[in-house]
Structures are given as structure tokens and as C-alpha cells.
Amino acid sequence: MLLQIILFIFPWKIRKILLCKFCKFKIGSGSKIGFSIICAREVMIGNNSHIGHLTYCKDIDRLVIGDNSGIGNNVKITGFSINSPLVKLHGHFSHIFDRKCELVIGNHVGITSNHYFDCNGGIYIGDYAQIAGLDSIFMTHSIDLSNCRQDAEPIRIGRYTFVGARVTLLKGSEIANCCVVGAGAVVGKKFKTDYMLVGGVPAKEIKSVKGYNFFERKEGFVK
């Protein structure tokens, strides 16, 4: 973290070289990181992608961003690495042998500003998906009350799916391809049907959205 703060004094072209050399980042052509701190054990950013300003990624194992994708400003990405001393000390998630603490974003994905991603169980966002609006929460872990222990499960967002503002996605939730998640929805289960509007508290399938031009885009950016 301290090294990355010091590197802010350099222009991006030099900072990119130093991040790749000293922090082992892999950053593709045309990609850029703003004044943000990325503390992940592995960082892989494709071509023509970006991370905005004041975004903070803390103690995850992998951050993967595909080509032509973007993360906005003031996004919080948190987790406890599988190798974290705190995890080993307190025994969190010790019953999950294949846990992956990571955020994996596909190609042509847009994530706007002021969202929160808890990556303890892994978050996977498919190509051309859009996390829109503000203040959505992706929460992959919680306390398992029946067994009195910390538990985690992945969250998966399908290709071309649109997630509106202030949506809460809980551990184990899943949205199929080409779906719309309405603003303010609370998603706590798997929705397997493509081309559905999902909304409400708790979220449920509302109607088909098949035929929307949004699902036929050839590039992620919406003019």
C-alpha cells in the first residue's frame, strides 16, 4: 500500500512500469489505474480497461479484469485472502476447502462508482454485464447461525446482465444471462432463467425482457 501511494507522484506510463516490476501487476495495453490502491496477491488487467480514482482493493487473492472493462471511482473491494494471518488465527472459513477470494470481471463490463464487493467467496461477472447506478452491495459471506461460523459462497452475474442501483446480492446468489435486476432488489438465491426481470424484496422473477437491444451490444459502453 505504501509503495503504491509513493508511486502516485509519477505519471501513469512510469507508474505502470513500476507496478508491474515491483508489485507484479499484469496490465495490458491502453489500460490505466487512477489514484487507487489495489492490494491483491495477483492483479491481471486486460487491454483498454481502467480503474478510477479512490477505489480500494484490500487483501484478496486475485483481481482479474478483462478487455475493454472499467471500474469507477470510490469502489470498495474487500476480503480475507486464503493466506491471511487473521483467517488462520481465527479459523474463518476453515470448513470451505476450495474457497477463492477473488473478483473476476469479463470483457466489456462496466462497473460504475460507489459499489461494495465482499469477495470472500468469489465474485464472477460475465462479459458485457453492467453494474449500474450507485451503492450496490455484493456480500459473499455471512455468519451461519445454525453452525455458529463464518460461511462464504460465490456470487455469479451472467453475460449481458444489467444490475440497477442499490441492489444487494447475498452469498450464493446467481443471475442468469441477459437479465435485468431492478433497483433496490435483494437477491438471495439463484435465478437460472435467461432474459428475466428480477426485482423486489426478496427478489423474484417478474417478466421476460427478451428482445431488448441492450442484449445485442457489440461493445460494453452505452452511449
Side-chain angles (χ1 to χ4, degrees), residues 12 16 26-32 45-49 67-68:
W12 169 245
K16 176 181 175 181
K26 296 178 181 178
I27 304 173
S29 174
S31 292
K32 184 175 182 179
I45 302 174
N47 299 320
N48 302 310
S49 293
D67 298 335
N68 303 295

Side-chain angles (χ1 to χ4, degrees), residues 66-187:
D67 298 335
N68 303 295
S69 293
I71 296 176
N73 302 321
N74 195 35
V75 173
K76 301 297 187 293
I77 303 167
T78 71
F80 288 104
S81 164
I82 60 174
N83 296 310
S84 168
L86 286 175
V87 169
K88 294 178 180 180
L89 176 65
H90 297 293
H92 293 336
F93 314 117
S94 59
H95 63 292
I96 308 173
F97 300 106
D98 58 348
R99 184 174 74 91
K100 294 180 179 179
C101 184
E102 59 186 10
L103 173 58
V104 179
I105 298 167
N107 301 318
H108 290 275
V109 172
I111 297 174
T112 58
S113 300
N114 293 89
H115 298 298
Y116 179 86
F117 296 88
D118 156 45
C119 300
N120 281 295
I123 298 173
Y124 305 91
I125 301 176
D127 297 345
Y128 294 92
Q130 293 283 315
I131 312 303
L134 302 169
D135 299 331
S136 286
I137 298 172
F138 290 65
M139 186 62 67
T140 65
H141 92 284
S142 67
I143 295 177
D144 176 353
L145 298 178
S146 62
N147 292 300
C148 194
R149 64 188 181 189
Q150 296 283 347
D151 196 19
E153 295 180 54
I155 291 173
R156 301 182 188 276
I157 304 297
R159 294 180 292 107
Y160 285 94
T161 285
F162 178 93
V163 177
R166 294 184 172 87
V167 169
T168 300
L169 294 106
L170 303 177
K171 67 179 177 70
S173 59
E174 182 175 334
I175 306 293
N177 301 320
C178 303
C179 290
V180 176
V181 183
V186 177
V187 182

Side-chain angles (χ1 to χ4, degrees), residues 17-53:
I17 293 170
L18 296 175
L19 286 171
C20 292
K21 179 176 177 61
F22 293 108
C23 299
K24 308 302 182 185
F25 287 12
K26 296 178 181 178
I27 304 173
S29 174
S31 292
K32 184 175 182 179
I33 301 174
F35 296 117
S36 294
I37 301 296
I38 309 299
C39 295
R41 284 164 169 75
E42 181 179 2
V43 176
M44 300 174 62
I45 302 174
N47 299 320
N48 302 310
S49 293
H50 70 273
I51 298 174
H53 301 304

